[in-house]
Amino acid sequence: MKRVALHWQILLALGLATLTGVLFRAVSGVDLDPASFEARALAISGFIGDLFMQALKMIIVPLIVTSVISGIASLQGVKGFGRLGGKTLGFYAATSLIATTTGLLLVNLIEPGIKDGEPNMAIRAAFESKAAAASDAEKAKVADAAAREAGDFLDTFRMMIPENVFSAATDNGQMLGVIVFSILFAIAMTRLPAAEMRTLREFFQAGNDVMITLTRWIMAVSPIGVFALMFPVIHANGPEVFWEMKAYFVTVLSGLGIHLFITMPIILWLLARIDPRWHFRAMREALLVAFSTASSSGTLPVTMRCVQDKAGVSKRVTSFTLPLGSTVNMDGTALYECVAVVFVAQVMGVQMGFAEQFFVVTAALLTSVGVAGVPSASLVAILLILKNSNVPGAETAVVALLAVDRLLDMSRTAVNIFGDSCAAVIIARSEGENIFPGQKNSA
Ligand code: ASP
């Protein structure tokens, strides 16, 4: 029997989860008796979903360490690394800037927080009611962020140099510190006598090969994982969740859509003459896993497999650009932060002029570097920007946004990882790599 391709299996799992979730919701509602069959099925699904998510997270640290070190050690010294690093960071900064500008234009054009020229009071009331109904965990997360000093923007950069690399490695929110350490380690490694350097390089390369095998195993069960993750999400989030803030959802989703389907494809074609359809095809599995998990870091192993195995980019380029990209390059998140901040300001009646919006863009760019690749991580950054912009009621608004965040989080995470993958193929092409072998437009 012919095997069904993995991306079809994942898509089928997504479809089945949507169907089952909607059905359960229609038949038994949202508040279930814990002893009922439906509640038990949801609990089991949640448990399996957690296992899948944890399996992905389990391999992040060893994958990042082994791939960054073995990748940089193969770059033949600091010069090769400098060129690649410069291109990568330049690309990340430029595309994030384009994304924030798209978001800003749309939110000013659509004005999702304004009704008949006035702040939309219905949304303000929805903020209150959604914040009141939010779970304790959601409230605690925002209260914790609100307790921080306004100047904590700098935390991102402080985390780049961890005071203890092992404790940074125990926190999936601190991967930037682990990456910086791995880069320094690899550069220092190239200064060792040749024999010692070879031993270490072989060690990390072998470690990386092991992580690749583990990734393949986890990917093989991803359809089950995706179903288990999505079924409770669909059950918990009916259309009424979105209805009161529909203009806001439309603004965010159209911004993300423009970046994913228009901006990035144009960049792919202009800079590297890569047919965007091929690239989308190569990235199918990673896009679906990013959408289902809402975590760029969790998706990193899958992103790396797709870019290397399907798009044909070398290990040398992927092993540096993708781990770094999964935490510092978040186009979808930067775009979302801009829209969310200006939207809340509109609802709360705060006029944002050019200077204020310029600050929002800069802050969104900086914080998107520091935001961890985990679900809803950017809400904390949004709270910080709102507080720095003196928007009243910021805490209530952010709790409300957090309560309705899932669909937007899934969508922006897919955009985030797509941006990283475009960087990898474009940089590989600029380094003279013959990617997408066999395709007509191969260099
Ligand atoms: N969930 C996003 C990611 O992992 C981060 C965010 O915007 O909250 O890429």
Side-chain angles (χ1 to χ4, degrees):
M1 210 177 79
K2 203 169 162 259
R3 246 185 91 82
V4 180
L6 187 61
H7 58 270
W8 288 121
Q9 293 183 31
I10 303 177
L11 206 62
L12 192 71
L14 249 171
L16 274 179
T18 309
L19 206 72
T20 330
V22 169
L23 237 127
F24 269 47
R25 199 182 163 89
V27 174
S28 335
V30 191
D31 295 319
L32 301 170
D33 171 6
S36 65
F37 163 75
E38 289 88 339
R40 290 219 173 103
L42 282 163
I44 294 172
S45 183
F47 174 71
I48 298 173
D50 285 348
L51 287 183
F52 175 63
M53 215 37 209
Q54 278 164 223
L56 281 170
K57 289 181 181 168
M58 172 180 81
I59 58 173
I60 297 174
V61 173
L63 178 72
I64 286 182
V65 172
T66 55
S67 73
V68 171
I69 295 181
S70 61
I72 294 181
S74 69
L75 285 176
Q76 268 120 35
V78 180
K79 232 168 111 202
F81 169 67
R83 194 186 58 230
L84 201 67
K87 280 185 201 172
T88 309
L89 292 179
F91 186 87
Y92 287 164
T95 46
S96 297
L97 184 65
I98 297 176
T100 46
T101 314
T102 309
L104 208 62
L105 280 177
L106 282 178
V107 73
N108 281 297
L109 211 73
I110 302 178
E111 296 192 317
I114 307 276
K115 196 172 177 213
D116 304 327
E118 297 289 328
N120 190 328
M121 295 315 247
I123 298 183
R124 211 182 280 186
F127 279 174
E128 301 280 348
S129 66
K130 284 195 191 308
S135 72
D136 289 344
E138 284 162 346
K139 285 182 196 150
K141 185 172 174 182
V142 177
D144 187 39
R148 295 211 228 150
E149 291 298 315
D152 274 1
F153 273 125
L154 288 178
D155 260 5
T156 306
F157 301 94
R158 214 169 277 134
M159 266 164 31
M160 284 171 76
I161 314 264
E163 58 179 358
N164 181 333
V165 69
F166 290 100
S167 75
T170 59
D171 179 354
N172 284 338
Q174 290 202 30
M175 283 309 105
L176 194 52
V178 178
I179 293 173
V180 171
F181 175 78
S182 306
I183 292 174
L184 291 174
F185 186 96
I187 295 177
M189 220 171 97
T190 59
R191 303 280 164 91
L192 290 177
E196 283 176 30
M197 151 91 176
R198 194 171 338 109
T199 314
L200 268 181
R201 198 171 62 198
E202 280 168 5
F203 170 78
F204 282 106
Q205 248 158 20
N208 191 231
D209 291 343
V210 171
M211 299 321 297
I212 292 173
T213 307
L214 285 184
T215 305
R216 293 217 170 100
W217 290 351
I218 297 173
M219 278 172 77
V221 295
S222 59
I224 300 172
V226 164
F227 177 89
L229 277 175
M230 292 306 292
F231 167 39
V233 169
I234 304 279
H235 175 260
N237 293 282
E240 64 280 3
V241 170
F242 313 117
W243 195 246
E244 287 150 317
M245 298 193 211
K246 52 187 176 308
Y248 167 65
F249 276 81
V250 167
T251 312
V252 176
L253 292 176
S254 20
L256 293 174
I258 290 174
H259 194 74
L260 181 66
F261 295 116
I262 300 176
T263 312
M264 292 317 282
I266 291 178
I267 292 178
L268 271 175
W269 179 252
L270 283 184
L271 293 188
R273 290 281 180 264
I274 290 168
D275 185 335
R277 287 169 304 179
W278 291 337
H279 191 61
F280 273 111
R281 214 171 291 146
M283 295 307 298
R284 279 183 293 212
E285 284 147 15
L287 285 169
L288 288 169
V289 170
F291 187 75
S292 315
T293 59
S295 167
S296 309
S297 300
T299 312
L300 175 66
V302 185
T303 316
M304 292 187 83
R305 288 311 355 110
C306 289
V307 174
Q308 258 176 258
D309 298 347
K310 306 263 169 66
V313 175
S314 69
K315 203 167 160 179
R316 178 177 160 271
V317 171
T318 45
S319 58
F320 171 68
T321 54
L322 293 178
L324 191 68
S326 75
T327 136
V328 311
N329 180 46
M330 295 194 174
D331 296 350
T333 293
L335 183 153
Y336 172 68
E337 285 182 20
C338 274
V339 175
V341 168
V342 178
F343 165 68
V344 173
Q346 287 171 349
V347 173
M348 300 315 289
V350 176
Q351 284 283 344
M352 282 197 159
F354 180 78
E356 286 86 0
Q357 299 212 12
F358 181 76
F359 167 73
V360 173
V361 168
T362 317
L365 284 176
L366 289 178
T367 53
S368 73
V369 171
V371 164
V374 297
S376 290
S378 47
L379 271 299
V380 174
I382 290 167
L383 183 62
L384 269 180
I385 304 176
L386 283 170
K387 274 173 59 179
N388 276 280
S389 307
N390 295 322
V391 176
E395 214 171 309
T396 311
V398 172
V399 178
L401 293 187
L402 186 60
V404 299
D405 191 39
R406 189 68 194 195
L407 176 71
L408 300 181
D409 198 7
M410 300 189 320
S411 312
R412 64 180 182 261
T413 306
V415 174
N416 288 346
I417 69 106
F418 192 73
D420 302 340
S421 71
C422 290
V425 292
I426 289 173
I427 289 165
R429 193 42 90 74
S430 78
E431 294 276 301
E433 286 185 20
N434 182 18
I435 59 171
F436 287 105
Q439 306 283 15
K440 225 171 51 218
N441 72 346
S442 289

